[in-house]
Amino acid sequence: MLCAAQRTDDVVGLLALKTGERLLDIGCGNGYLSAQLANQGAEVVGFDINPERVLAARAWGLEVKRGNAEELYFHQEFDAVFSHNALHEMHQADQVASGAFMALKPGGRFVGEFPGRGHALLIRRALSGALERRSINLMGMERWYLPNAHEYQRVLERAGFHVSHISWFEQPMSAELSIGDWIRNNCGHYLQAVPMEMRIPFLEEVTEELVSDLLDGSGRWTVDATRLRFKAHRKA
């Protein structure tokens, strides 16, 4: 099972960043990975929609712009566009890809990795089942955009990209905390549908359902994660 650093090594290697290149990091979050890329000698511009994350990223000394990555406004400014663990939160995938294409100089590349089809499927099924048993409406619960490789390749090609690499793969990962806490941090919108006084028994029920599949003999929880990794080029 991979540690957090190992989970970024492969996609950063696929990016193959060169000293002096100008990079746009969309969905940069707290800026930790952006700062690592800047340390490789690139001129990094972070981009995120969340004001708290923007402030955190700026604390690394980065240039960070706040905005919606579904509405990118750059024109041939960057040698590369990068995104790690963020594109699954952007449902307007065609708009994101088109914006990334327009942001790139001719010959530039768009590289990224994010959860793909089937990500945390056992967890989401358990949550949905527990809601159904309480007669709670499931409308809008599936908030992630989770394509397979073929679907996302079509998105990139519609935007004008040539796709040189795309892969979907399973990557089970340690929750590094209880599964209840992982759900609170990553699937909180399911909990928001449950009345406050019912949330503890709700989580206990979901946890019990997941024990046989996701809890090992040493008491460590594993998330049934998947990843989609890609590299696409804007032709020169």
Side-chain angles (χ1 to χ4, degrees):
M1 195 170 302
L2 300 180
C3 69
Q6 290 171 315
R7 290 199 294 267
T8 63
D9 284 350
D10 288 339
V11 69
V12 170
L14 192 63
L15 178 63
L17 197 60
K18 300 177 180 65
T19 299
E21 287 192 312
R22 185 166 164 82
L23 171 76
L24 176 65
D25 184 1
I26 57 176
C28 67
N30 65 12
Y32 175 75
L33 185 53
S34 305
Q36 290 184 310
L37 296 172
N39 287 339
Q40 295 182 19
E43 181 184 345
V44 178
V45 176
F47 196 90
D48 203 283
I49 196 170
N50 183 287
E52 293 181 357
R53 293 195 296 256
V54 168
L55 289 175
R58 286 175 179 166
W60 291 96
L62 299 167
E63 177 185 356
V64 185
K65 299 181 183 295
R66 182 187 173 198
N68 184 349
E70 296 168 345
E71 301 172 353
L72 292 173
Y73 47 78
F74 305 99
H75 182 70
Q76 297 188 14
E77 296 183 35
F78 298 94
D79 301 290
V81 174
F82 179 73
S83 184
H84 180 262
N85 209 35
L87 294 175
H88 62 297
E89 297 181 351
M90 305 174 195
H91 281 261
Q92 304 300 318
D94 284 290
Q95 285 89 324
V96 175
S98 294
F101 185 87
M102 293 302 298
L104 286 168
K105 301 172 184 176
R109 62 205 184 276
F110 181 25
V111 177
E113 182 176 311
F114 62 104
R117 177 65 57 84
H119 180 72
L121 183 60
L122 293 173
I123 296 170
R124 291 184 290 118
R125 281 179 175 171
L127 288 164
S128 296
L131 290 174
E132 287 179 343
R133 289 190 290 275
R134 289 162 174 79
S135 300
I136 295 175
N137 190 346
L138 298 180
M139 185 70 69
M141 289 297 165
E142 294 293 345
R143 295 189 179 179
W144 289 334
Y145 167 64
L146 301 172
N148 61 31
H150 175 69
E151 290 167 341
Y152 198 65
Q153 180 167 346
R154 290 182 62 192
V155 167
L156 293 168
E157 289 173 345
R158 283 196 298 270
F161 284 107
H162 168 72
V163 180
S164 60
H165 171 89
I166 191 162
S167 60
W168 174 98
F169 52 95
E170 296 179 351
Q171 191 181 80
M173 63 181 186
S174 173
E176 300 178 352
L177 65 177
S178 73
I179 202 67
D181 285 338
W182 189 92
I183 289 169
R184 288 187 185 94
N185 292 341
N186 296 276
C187 301
H189 55 286
Y190 286 89
L191 296 180
Q192 290 171 9
V194 180
M196 184 68 70
E197 66 276 8
M198 296 172 59
R199 289 181 186 175
I200 291 178
F202 174 85
L203 273 177
E204 289 174 346
E205 180 180 321
V206 170
T207 297
E208 182 63 29
E209 184 173 343
L210 294 171
V211 164
S212 60
D213 291 313
L214 301 182
L215 185 65
D216 66 19
S218 64
R220 183 178 62 183
W221 287 97
T222 297
V223 177
D224 53 323
T226 71
R227 308 296 288 175
L228 198 156
R229 183 183 298 151
F230 66 91
K231 184 174 186 176
H233 298 266
R234 175 172 178 164
K235 294 181 180 180

